[in-house]
Amino acid sequence: MSVLATNLGFPRIGVQRELKRALETYWRGQSSKETLFAAAAQLRERHWQLQQRVGLEHIPSNDFSLYDHILDLSCMLGCIPDRYGWQGGEIDLGLYFAMARGRQGGGKDVTAMEMSKWFDTNYHYLVPEFAADQTFKLSSSKVFDEYSRARALGIKTRPVLVGPLTYVTLGKKRAEADYCRSTLIPKVVPVYVEALRKLQSLGAEWVQIDEPALVLDLRPQYREACSTAYRDIAAAVPGLKILLTTYFDGLRDNTDLAFSLPVTGVHLDLCRGPGQANTLANQADDILAAALEKAAGKVLSLGVVDGRNIWKNDLSLSLSRIERATAKLGKDHVFVAPSCSLLHTPVDLAAEQQLNPTIANWLAFATQKLTEIATLARGANRGRDVIYDELNASDAVRRHRAASPDIHNQEVKRRLASITAGMKQRHSAYAERRKLQSERFKLPPLPTTTIGSFPQTTEIRQARAAFKSGEIDSAQYRQAMQKEIRTVVDYQHRVGLDVLVHGEAERNDMVEYFGEQLAGFAFTSKGWVQSYGSRCVKPPIVFGDVSRPKPMTVAWATYAQSLTDKVVKGMLTGPITILQWSFVRDDQPRSVTSRQVALAIRDEVADLERAGIRMIQIDEAALREGLPLRRADWQAYLDNAVEDFRIASCTVADQTQIHTHMCYSEFNDIMPSIAAMDADVISIETSRSQMELLGAFIDFRYPNEIGPGVYDIHSPRVPTVDEMTALLRKARQVLSPEQLWVNPDCGLKTRGWSEVEQALVNMVEAARQVRQQV
Ligand code: GLN
Ligand code: ZN
């Protein structure tokens, strides 16, 4: 009996984003269902075979999805919202994609299901919707088909299902539904039982049930429902081995609950622990110790290889943890595994073409992580000597990385150590600044502005691509971008906006643009990670101390300002957002890295001000989504975020106006921190909620200025003047005219000019009308 090498899930998208291409060709009507299915089958088989070749003993199936695994589960459970007109029976591809993406045309017009972030990752799942009288019924054979298909290839897989607790926790009930969601757990259990029995009859020995909800704060009724559910499942499907997987944090107060469940094994994430959001101290050893106390008789699956980051594993450290577990539980009760599904890492480092080889040598993507897992299992079974070379190489990489001059910048460290209280404080209080600013800017009440970006046209993309490939030189590129800036400035003049922007044509992404210019960041050419459906992102890699060699935005902003007498806002991305959307260092706390970014942004703010830019916006689009999973960790995260923002912004004079912008405006619980950032103006996303989200600001009596978005830029619809005046009147009831700004919900880069032009004309007109009543 031995320690097994296992995996929890593999990226679906394919090293060349084959799935993306297959999906999008199908959606455009340029390929058949059969072609799409064949592409999907090929990816599944390739990934199974890869895992088999590497020597994994538990290979997952049903981790693949054409769009999203939670949507697949809604299909399996027959949880299909009424508006799709499903009559029971097989869920065809048309219905599946209608739920994923909405469907318009052919006499049909139905919206997509809501999307939400999968825990604290950048992966989005489709939120299950529960009706007032929700029932469940086994309605998809996907999990069986994939198991059987692998079996036919000679691979006996471990099918994966997200479990009942997590499924119900992540869903939302319709407004008219008057029950506690936890009461749905016993209702889904019979469907799980049916599915598990079927898997067992097909030959499955182990099934992986993912319950990441066990790392959240759980109310008693959910814990009880969870206990009952697993008791019922175990009783109904005796003999089937269940691995209960938890990830993204430690179990903490749910440790007893998890280990009390009648399952064969429990998986722990040993790469993220309490306080992970802010401290390096990933308290893996404590988590492991707590688990070993409870794990007698159970298999423990050790998530020692990080499924959320891209650094090579510290094999010696991991092996010592595995050895601790085998000493206590015996080799036949220990699995080696990634911390979570490898879905959140890029597919294969071997595909990289542009990475600096020194940095590439520090990294492991999903494919490389499989080998690390197999190596560790080998070492655990046959002794350290058997993997002597691998251990040596791993140690050498760590030493090399730690000592690398590319990582360390003494000047940055010195600056970090000498941050003073004064650097985190505007000169005067807001009330003082407001007087000076209103004298300086002389804006009308309800001033109009936008969030920064304007539509990214094909021309813009082509110019950027041509510059990257060397087809045009930097002078030609500058001309092309300046032409775009002129177009955007002229347009804003014509429409009559009060505060202008330069339009962000030069940025393909609000984080990548800054990462490319900051020292300490690296970029991949193929490091794609699925964000939702066919959409992938390529997060930058923060590998070293961050500094700003030279100004990043000043030339564009001052060029725009030179074209107009109106104020042009400078546009920057904030430290928390830059961190949240990157792969970050694992050799120092996150808070140290974000502090370094904050100082770099501070330099940019100072340069913008010196160059005559009078308003500066620092976007913290990801502040809300970066909140830790457990409430107990929120305050430390928020305090750090506030400090970072203040360090970035507080260098300016009182007359310079600092703006910030945030997406996802569910701020009810965190208003004191939002206020503590002390931006002069904040713009937020409120139009879809009909200004409801503004409530948090009102209840809190938010003292500074606010621009509640009145134009929903996530939809191609052009809002009418009346819709926007109605929203503004709502806002007017609770905010004074001096406090209220008028702007869209978010940047306009994903919209087309045809929509934006009319929408902003309407927005300015709406502001004019409401202003008249002031
Ligand atoms: N300034 C950015 C833009 O307009 C903000 C984007 C965002 O909040 N996601 O594109
Ligand atoms: Zn936004």
Side-chain angles (χ1 to χ4, degrees):
M1 279 317 233
S2 55
V3 173
L4 299 187
T6 69
N7 186 20
L8 267 48
F10 197 78
R12 309 145 182 168
I13 202 76
V15 66
Q16 305 293 343
R17 285 183 297 162
E18 292 89 336
L19 182 59
K20 176 189 179 69
R21 235 154 277 137
L23 283 168
E24 291 175 359
T25 324
Y26 175 76
W27 291 334
R28 281 195 302 268
Q30 291 164 350
S31 72
S32 65
K33 183 169 95 179
E34 289 69 30
T35 312
L36 173 62
F37 285 159
Q42 206 183 18
L43 283 166
R44 283 193 297 264
E45 288 173 20
R46 187 201 294 165
H47 298 154
W48 285 328
Q49 280 160 351
L50 166 71
Q51 295 175 78
Q52 191 182 40
R53 255 197 327 275
V54 170
L56 295 201
E57 283 132 316
H58 279 195
I59 296 171
S61 62
N62 201 43
D63 54 336
F64 182 85
S65 177
L66 278 177
Y67 201 95
D68 164 46
H69 58 286
I70 298 296
L71 177 61
D72 295 343
L73 185 53
S74 289
C75 293
M76 182 183 107
L77 298 171
C79 183
I80 312 297
D82 282 346
R83 63 178 180 282
Y84 300 103
W86 179 60
Q87 303 291 333
E90 199 200 331
I91 292 157
D92 65 17
L93 208 51
L95 171 56
Y96 182 79
F97 286 135
M99 289 190 280
R101 320 172 59 229
R103 176 154 59 185
Q104 216 162 20
K108 292 195 172 130
D109 188 356
V110 46
T111 54
M113 291 174 75
E114 197 182 302
M115 262 191 324
S116 188
K117 296 245 171 181
W118 175 242
F119 295 82
D120 57 351
T121 74
N122 202 9
Y123 176 83
H124 302 65
Y125 70 96
L126 288 154
V127 181
E129 272 176 51
F130 306 130
D133 55 350
Q134 187 64 52
T135 55
F136 301 93
K137 180 174 178 299
L138 184 62
S139 304
S140 150
S141 60
K142 176 178 182 290
V143 62
F144 316 122
D145 299 343
E146 292 186 11
Y147 179 81
S148 301
R149 181 68 203 133
R151 196 74 207 257
L153 294 168
I155 301 172
K156 201 170 157 187
T157 57
R158 182 173 82 191
V160 186
L161 289 171
V162 165
L165 173 70
T166 301
Y167 181 73
V168 167
T169 306
L170 293 183
K172 61 164 199 194
K173 53 184 187 179
R174 297 194 52 87
E176 65 276 13
D178 180 23
Y179 53 76
C180 170
R181 266 176 309 146
S182 65
T183 60
L184 294 175
I185 295 177
K187 294 192 177 174
V188 297
V189 164
V191 187
Y192 278 89
V193 166
E194 196 180 340
L196 295 173
R197 281 192 176 141
K198 176 102 196 262
L199 284 168
Q200 194 176 29
S201 74
L202 291 171
E205 187 190 343
W206 278 90
V207 171
Q208 171 184 329
I209 303 191
D210 285 1
E211 288 287 17
L214 282 169
V215 310
L216 304 176
D217 297 311
L218 288 178
R219 279 178 287 148
Q221 60 271 41
Y222 284 84
R223 296 152 160 271
E224 269 157 42
C226 176
S227 289
T228 314
Y230 281 89
R231 260 204 318 273
D232 292 349
I233 289 173
V237 202
L240 182 67
K241 294 179 183 161
I242 293 176
L243 179 73
L244 182 84
T245 42
T246 67
Y247 42 79
F248 299 150
D249 204 335
L251 286 163
R252 305 195 211 185
D253 58 341
N254 295 327
T255 306
D256 283 342
L257 169 61
F259 283 96
S260 73
L261 301 176
V263 293
T264 317
V266 175
H267 171 85
L268 301 173
D269 184 333
L270 293 180
C271 296
R272 290 165 75 87
Q276 173 67 21
N278 269 308
T279 59
L280 174 68
N282 109 38
Q283 294 157 30
D285 290 310
D286 297 344
I287 295 176
L288 180 57
L292 286 174
E293 290 296 307
K294 317 270 176 196
K298 283 199 163 42
V299 167
L300 209 52
S301 165
L302 305 177
V304 287
V305 171
D306 198 342
R308 297 272 301 265
N309 214 332
I310 40 62
W311 305 103
K312 271 187 182 158
N313 193 258
D314 180 347
L315 294 178
S316 315
L317 178 65
S318 297
L319 189 54
S320 65
R321 287 180 179 150
I322 298 165
E323 286 164 351
R324 262 178 77 193
T326 53
K328 176 114 188 196
L329 303 174
K331 286 183 183 169
D332 52 346
H333 280 77
V334 175
F335 292 175
V336 182
S339 61
C340 59
S341 166
L342 297 173
L343 177 66
H344 311 288
T345 53
V347 180
D348 190 357
L349 188 63
E352 269 317 305
Q353 299 139 357
Q354 74 174 44
L355 263 178
N356 166 339
T358 307
I359 292 169
N361 186 42
W362 301 339
L363 306 181
F365 291 178
T367 304
Q368 288 68 39
K369 286 171 191 286
L370 297 175
T371 303
E372 294 181 333
I373 292 165
T375 304
L376 286 166
R378 218 154 18 101
N381 286 320
R382 291 161 48 199
R384 288 194 170 229
D385 286 354
V386 181
I387 58 163
Y388 181 82
D389 290 345
E390 287 90 341
L391 288 173
N392 262 349
S394 162
D395 291 345
V397 161
R398 290 175 46 71
R399 273 197 309 272
H400 177 250
R401 202 179 138 201
S404 166
D406 298 335
I407 285 192
H408 300 287
N409 181 330
Q410 292 313 322
E411 172 59 19
V412 172
K413 294 189 204 296
R414 196 194 52 71
R415 249 191 115 187
L416 214 67
S418 55
I419 291 172
T420 59
M423 288 167 72
K424 304 177 206 166
Q425 185 76 46
R426 295 288 294 267
H427 302 287
S428 309
Y430 171 69
E432 253 334 280
R433 307 196 307 262
R434 155 183 232 135
K435 272 186 241 143
L436 296 168
Q437 290 172 12
S438 76
E439 274 163 33
R440 184 183 198 190
F441 298 121
K442 301 197 170 47
L443 295 169
L446 282 71
T448 53
T449 189
T450 61
I451 307 302
S453 59
F454 269 76
Q456 291 254 326
T457 58
T458 321
E459 257 188 343
I460 295 177
R461 289 210 189 87
Q462 276 167 356
R464 266 203 318 258
F467 179 48
K468 268 205 166 149
S469 70
E471 226 173 281
I472 58 173
D473 63 19
S474 62
Q476 287 168 305
Y477 178 67
R478 182 164 6 96
Q479 277 168 15
M481 291 299 117
Q482 289 188 341
K483 178 167 159 269
E484 294 300 333
I485 292 174
R486 281 198 302 277
T487 309
V488 168
V489 170
D490 285 350
Y491 165 76
Q492 294 174 88
H493 264 283
R494 272 204 311 284
V495 179
L497 285 154
D498 299 307
V499 170
L500 312 193
V501 296
H502 80 288
E504 301 180 27
E506 77 286 4
R507 305 181 191 177
N508 52 342
D509 176 273
M510 66 188 286
V511 169
E512 192 173 32
Y513 179 76
F514 291 94
E516 275 174 348
Q517 301 184 74
L518 291 167
F521 280 75
F523 291 87
T524 63
S525 54
K526 289 273 179 343
W528 298 102
V529 178
Q530 191 175 16
S531 171
Y532 61 88
S534 66
R535 199 182 143 73
C536 302
V537 294
K538 237 179 0 155
I541 298 169
V542 188
F543 68 87
D545 288 338
V546 176
S547 62
R548 188 201 65 145
K550 56 180 200 302
M552 305 182 282
T553 64
V554 175
W556 305 125
T558 50
Y559 179 73
Q561 185 64 81
S562 75
L563 303 173
T564 174
D565 293 333
K566 292 193 169 178
V567 193
V568 173
K569 268 193 293 192
M571 278 301 148
L572 304 173
T573 303
I576 295 299
T577 301
I578 290 183
L579 214 68
Q580 187 68 22
W581 291 344
S582 302
F583 287 120
V584 300
R585 297 172 68 163
D586 62 348
D587 58 348
Q588 68 182 19
R590 286 175 74 91
S591 56
V592 172
T593 308
S594 72
R595 189 64 32 105
Q596 294 180 351
V597 179
L599 284 169
I601 300 295
R602 179 182 173 93
D603 294 342
E604 187 70 12
V605 168
D607 277 342
L608 281 170
E609 184 183 50
R610 214 169 294 134
I613 300 300
R614 291 164 286 171
M615 288 186 190
I616 299 166
Q617 178 171 314
I618 306 173
D619 292 325
E620 281 295 19
L623 186 118
R624 179 71 178 71
E625 69 175 62
L627 271 181
L629 295 173
R630 292 285 192 132
R631 273 206 184 232
D633 300 335
W634 281 17
Q635 205 52 50
Y637 163 85
L638 288 167
D639 290 348
N640 188 63
V642 168
E643 251 186 89
D644 283 340
F645 187 84
R646 293 175 69 130
I647 288 170
S649 61
C650 286
T651 167
V652 296
D654 286 343
Q655 295 89 327
T656 300
Q657 194 168 67
I658 295 290
H659 290 230
T660 188
H661 163 74
M662 289 178 203
C663 308
Y664 300 103
S665 304
E666 278 268 14
F667 292 138
N668 283 299
D669 308 317
I670 60 170
M671 273 315 294
S673 299
I674 303 290
M677 290 168 70
D678 201 22
D680 298 302
V681 186
I682 181 172
S683 59
I684 56 172
E685 205 177 293
T686 40
S687 69
R688 245 183 217 196
S689 74
Q690 298 293 311
M691 295 283 146
E692 255 171 48
L693 293 167
L694 196 53
F697 287 77
I698 309 312
D699 297 342
F700 183 79
R701 295 174 196 272
Y702 183 73
N704 304 11
E705 292 159 60
I706 313 174
V710 292
Y711 161 21
D712 173 15
I713 65 91
H714 303 92
S715 162
R717 274 193 73 242
V718 173
T720 63
V721 176
D722 287 349
E723 282 168 48
M724 287 188 279
T725 52
L727 289 177
L728 284 174
R729 290 209 175 91
K730 263 193 181 171
R732 262 289 286 125
Q733 287 169 7
V734 287
L735 295 174
S736 71
E738 298 78 48
Q739 211 184 357
L740 180 57
W741 284 66
V742 180
N743 47 257
D745 252 355
C746 195
L748 305 169
K749 72 190 294 180
T750 55
R751 297 267 62 89
W753 267 108
S754 55
E755 306 146 21
V756 164
E757 269 179 310
Q758 190 56 47
L760 291 184
V761 167
N762 292 356
M763 187 185 88
V764 170
E765 173 58 21
R768 197 189 60 83
Q769 289 184 13
V770 177
R771 225 175 251 164
Q772 281 179 341
Q773 295 150 4
V774 169

